[in-house]
Amino acid sequence: MFIGGFKSIGAIRKSDFAGLRLHDFLFCDEKCQAATVNNNCVYLWGNISASQLKKEEDCNAEGLLESYLLHGSDAFKQYDGCYAVIIAEPERLTIYRDRHGAGPQVFFNEQYFTNDLKAFRKISGFDVQPDLTSISSFLEIGYIPSPRTSLKGVRKLPAGNCLIYENGKIELKSLYEYTDFLGLYGTTRMTVEEATEEYERLHKQAIQRRIADKNDVALLLSGGYDSGGNLSTLRDIYSGNAKGFSVGFKNNPWTEVPLARLMAKEFDVDFYDYEIDGSEIDFLPEIIGHLGDPFQEGGLMVNYCAMKMVGSHRPEVVLGGDGNDQHFGTSGKELALNHRLRKSGAGIFQNMFSAISKNNLFENDNILFRARFHNDKILHVLRCDGFGFKPHQQKQLLKAQGAIHKHDYANGVPSVFRDYNQFYLARNFHIDIKQVINEVILFKASKMAELFENQIAFPYMDADVYNFLMTLPREYKLKNSFEDIMKGKGVSKYLHKAYLKPKLPNEITERKKQGGFAPLSIFLSDPVKREKIKRFIVNSNAAKELFNASYIDSVFAQFDQIEKTGGYWFWYKQVKSTQLFNLLVIAIWWEIMIENNQRALLSDYFLS
């Protein structure tokens, strides 16, 4: 953990830390690299590697500091990896989080900064109070977008941003802007074949950088192109010891363990698997305590179980396939439908249907719910998916009506687009990358790896790969015409698939990937445990302060009905499961952060 005070900047030396009071020092643990050049100090947590602008021998704390002193904050763009860095100059403090936020999180207020939100509980005079608007955001989309946090008066540093403290003032500076992203679009002059070859070269280079001189490499395996691409490409450049790890679901058709096992055999890696049976919900307090802010996403428990399994083997590095879908762009069909409706003037009818659907007739497991679900996905395509409580539902759930959030993370998204391709780019940058990759996918994967002290790396997030993909035309990422895409005939991740289809087994390339989420109902299917969870939520201090108990009862009743009948539509069951999970997460988070009552297991709370 690190914690420091802004007023204590200056020539900070590691030997100065012992015996100083909390507000006087920057605490660096044994995982921190530190270096000093003249009167300037650098503290580096995590792992950095070189992009095309830097040499590998410069990839340490001293090299980073020297580059910073030459180039300022732009120097950080020359380094890749999962890291956070603090640079203390005599009159200025700069804190930077890596481009995708896979390194340590940084929380701060006007006086202090730390990578552990719970550290604010230790600060004399700090009043720990929940931020109700942030909690409202979590209840809908499953996380709290930066720079907001769950505590009043505390912010967090967004990925790819610098926090600069100078002359008594704090400034946030983003190093990655939409104008740069838009300016590079379509600038490549490569044919599809040439671009495919270049993409393959960059992917191999990315893996080589991350395994370096390692002799024990692990991979997270599913049944799709991304993990399969890492594995097949690893074997092109590395013949040493490798292990594959996969998580599935017991007695469930969603499991991808058989396909992961097939790939492990195909490419000669030792294989280990774990099947989730629902009992893992008992570990939620450990997960929430480590994450800081409330967080819930369908793949969270998959990541937790995978990292726990990997941690027992202690490989030198773990390669994850996370984020590749989003780098290429998602929701092409919904974007096309939205674009057509707006251009044709029919969007007014879509908005009318959305307004009409905000009533109890659309809350049941039937065609009406399904119609609203798809309409909202198209209408709000420039927002994050919200599988939790929609604003109209929060009006019944929350006691504090004025706290309901307004999706302020999307304020920077343009409202006017030249054509469909620009619309696609806006979604790709503002939602796929800035939100889904940076705030959700890489955040949960890296935090679960950190929990079990695993070193995780993400080859598809390599800076050179990222910069290359920005130059491609939309058709290289999402193939086919606008009309075909609108009909659901677009080919997503086209270049990626062109590169890997010849290398992977047919069972992988010809099967639609499930996606890295869990069918959440598996954790709530035991009626006895579900009743205990309900009692815990209803009787929690969080519920007493925030929620209307009668509405909580109605959500549990809806889930009970699904369990009795078997249900009509998978996504209704997933939404209701998500809502119950979100309530449970808030109840546990409140115990940990507000009441200072951390328990090892969920069942420990049932006993109190």
Side-chain angles (χ1 to χ4, degrees):
M1 184 182 79
F2 62 76
I3 184 167
F6 289 108
K7 293 181 181 178
S8 63
I9 68 169
I12 306 172
R13 297 182 301 275
K14 210 163 186 181
S15 59
D16 292 336
F17 301 152
L20 297 182
R21 293 173 298 166
L22 179 70
H23 63 280
D24 288 330
F25 75 97
L26 170 68
F27 174 74
C28 298
D29 60 25
E30 68 279 1
K31 297 178 182 177
C32 171
Q33 294 184 46
T36 301
V37 175
N38 296 326
N39 232 7
N40 308 291
C41 305
V42 61
Y43 307 93
L44 172 66
W45 289 265
N47 298 282
I48 58 175
S49 60
S51 72
Q52 58 188 346
L53 301 177
K54 297 299 295 182
K55 298 177 181 178
E56 291 294 341
E57 53 264 32
D58 295 327
C59 290
N60 53 41
E62 186 173 356
L64 191 151
L65 177 57
E66 290 177 349
S67 183
Y68 170 82
L69 294 174
L70 283 173
H71 304 290
S73 57
D74 282 345
F76 300 131
K77 289 185 176 182
Q78 301 174 11
Y79 292 90
D80 207 359
C82 307
Y83 68 98
V85 61
I86 298 173
I87 294 180
E89 301 171 86
E91 300 298 329
R92 177 170 56 192
L93 187 80
T94 302
I95 306 175
Y96 175 73
R97 291 184 69 218
D98 66 79
R99 177 172 46 94
H100 284 314
Q105 179 63 275
V106 178
F107 301 96
F108 64 96
N109 66 2
E110 297 304 312
Q111 294 176 294
Y112 305 98
F113 57 89
T114 177
N115 66 323
D116 185 353
L117 188 59
K118 294 191 294 297
F120 279 93
R121 295 194 57 85
K122 304 174 185 177
I123 296 174
S124 176
F126 181 80
D127 187 16
V128 180
Q129 294 291 329
D131 185 305
L132 300 187
T133 300
S134 295
I135 288 174
S136 169
S137 176
F138 163 77
L139 287 169
E140 181 177 2
I141 63 175
Y143 73 102
I144 298 171
S146 300
R148 300 190 72 99
T149 75
S150 53
L151 297 184
K152 284 184 179 179
V154 179
R155 291 181 286 169
K156 59 191 176 193
L157 184 60
N161 274 243
C162 290
L163 182 160
I164 301 168
Y165 178 83
E166 190 173 19
N167 297 323
K169 296 181 180 179
I170 294 173
E171 174 193 357
L172 297 187
K173 176 185 177 182
S174 173
L175 300 189
Y176 299 90
E177 296 293 342
Y178 178 58
T179 51
D180 301 327
F181 190 84
L182 191 62
L184 285 171
Y185 166 72
T187 56
T188 185
R189 293 294 177 263
M190 295 183 184
T191 65
V192 170
E193 292 76 18
E194 291 168 338
T196 302
E197 290 179 5
E198 176 64 3
Y199 178 66
E200 178 176 7
R201 183 188 73 80
L202 291 173
H203 184 220
K204 286 181 178 178
Q205 174 182 276
I207 291 178
Q208 184 64 61
R209 285 172 177 166
R210 283 152 181 81
I211 64 172
D213 56 354
K214 308 279 190 305
N215 297 309
D216 188 9
V217 178
L219 305 98
L220 303 180
L221 299 180
S222 66
Y225 270 93
D226 298 336
S227 64
N230 278 340
L231 176 53
S232 64
T233 302
L234 176 73
R235 278 309 189 209
D236 288 341
I237 60 177
Y238 170 82
S239 59
N241 184 46
K243 301 179 180 74
F245 295 87
S246 181
V247 174
F249 313 105
K250 200 167 188 176
N251 301 320
N252 194 290
W254 289 105
T255 190
E256 293 189 326
V257 166
L259 289 173
R261 183 181 291 111
L262 182 151
M263 281 199 296
K265 183 177 181 181
E266 177 81 10
F267 294 101
D268 189 28
V269 301
D270 298 333
F271 183 70
Y272 304 88
D273 67 283
Y274 178 87
E275 288 195 319
I276 290 172
D277 62 13
S279 63
E280 297 80 7
I281 196 172
D282 216 22
F283 301 120
L284 262 182
E286 178 185 19
I287 296 170
I288 296 167
H290 187 68
L291 292 175
D293 276 334
F295 184 93
Q296 204 310 101
E297 191 266 350
L300 177 60
M301 199 62 76
V302 173
N303 284 98
Y304 173 84
C305 294
M307 287 298 103
K308 189 174 186 178
M309 180 171 46
V310 170
S312 65
H313 292 264
R314 292 281 177 254
E316 294 178 84
V317 65
V318 186
L319 301 181
D322 309 73
N324 197 39
D325 290 352
Q326 289 72 27
H327 259 191
F328 275 86
T330 67
S331 302
K333 179 181 178 181
E334 289 80 10
L335 282 160
L337 289 168
N338 181 297
H339 191 68
R340 172 57 57 85
L341 288 166
R342 287 188 300 108
K343 288 293 184 181
S344 67
I348 187 172
F349 299 107
Q350 189 183 19
N351 280 286
M352 288 173 59
F353 178 79
S354 179
I356 292 169
S357 68
K358 292 178 174 63
N359 67 68
N360 289 335
L361 290 174
F362 290 78
E363 298 297 338
N364 300 307
D365 190 11
N366 55 31
I367 192 67
L368 292 178
F369 175 89
R370 192 167 184 169
R372 184 179 74 186
F373 182 93
H374 287 303
N375 185 67
D376 283 349
K377 195 168 178 63
I378 296 166
L379 180 63
H380 302 305
V381 71
L382 292 181
R383 296 181 186 173
C384 295
D385 289 334
F387 297 114
F389 295 98
K390 302 294 187 184
H392 73 277
Q393 296 168 327
Q394 292 192 31
K395 288 180 180 179
Q396 300 177 68
L397 171 65
L398 293 175
K399 292 180 179 179
Q401 294 293 294
I404 297 174
H405 76 117
K406 303 277 193 302
H407 294 277
D408 55 355
Y409 65 86
N411 289 344
V413 182
S415 56
V416 178
F417 306 96
R418 182 180 64 248
D419 53 24
Y420 172 73
N421 289 348
Q422 195 175 91
F423 196 27
Y424 187 81
L425 287 174
R427 159 86 192 190
N428 190 202
F429 181 82
H430 289 283
I431 303 301
D432 289 330
I433 295 173
K434 284 189 68 176
Q435 295 301 317
V436 182
I437 288 179
N438 296 0
E439 302 272 7
V440 179
I441 291 179
L442 262 63
F443 171 73
K444 68 181 171 74
S446 59
K447 291 297 284 185
M448 291 301 95
E450 178 184 87
L451 180 59
F452 294 101
E453 299 184 341
N454 296 315
Q455 181 184 324
I456 194 165
F458 308 100
Y460 295 116
M461 300 298 101
D462 183 85
D464 293 339
V465 173
Y466 175 88
N467 292 332
F468 172 68
L469 291 178
M470 280 196 294
T471 70
L472 299 180
R474 187 269 301 164
E475 292 81 3
Y476 286 23
K477 297 179 179 180
L478 175 64
K479 184 177 173 60
N480 279 345
S481 67
F482 171 80
E483 296 293 333
D484 282 340
I485 293 168
M486 192 170 61
K487 296 172 185 176
K489 297 179 180 179
V491 181
S492 62
K493 296 195 297 188
Y494 175 67
L495 203 72
H496 183 67
K497 292 173 180 175
Y499 150 44
L500 289 169
K501 188 168 184 179
K503 301 179 67 174
L504 298 178
N506 290 338
E507 293 89 340
I508 304 300
T509 61
E510 295 179 6
R511 175 184 181 270
K512 184 178 180 180
K513 189 178 186 297
Q514 170 222 324
F517 64 85
L520 291 178
S521 59
I522 194 172
F523 302 104
L524 301 163
S525 58
D526 182 340
V528 175
K529 182 177 285 187
R530 189 165 68 250
E531 182 59 29
K532 289 180 179 179
I533 290 172
K534 177 183 175 181
R535 289 202 304 268
F536 168 64
I537 295 172
V538 170
N539 294 324
S540 69
N541 287 329
K544 292 172 184 176
E545 291 288 332
L546 302 177
F547 304 140
N548 293 311
S550 60
Y551 192 75
I552 295 176
D553 287 338
S554 70
V555 180
F556 272 94
Q558 288 168 335
F559 188 88
D560 292 341
Q561 183 63 26
I562 302 170
E563 287 294 287
K564 288 178 183 176
T565 63
Y568 159 70
W569 193 40
F570 168 80
W571 282 105
Y572 179 85
K573 193 171 188 177
Q574 190 77 345
V575 165
K576 292 304 167 184
S577 301
T578 299
Q579 291 177 346
L580 295 184
F581 250 88
N582 288 0
L583 292 172
L584 178 58
V585 166
I586 288 294
I588 297 171
W589 172 86
W590 191 283
E591 289 291 326
I592 295 170
M593 192 64 66
I594 306 301
E595 306 292 336
N596 197 23
N597 180 23
Q598 174 81 60
R599 302 289 180 91
L601 300 172
L602 177 58
S603 54
D604 292 338
Y605 287 112
F606 299 161
L607 302 174
S608 57

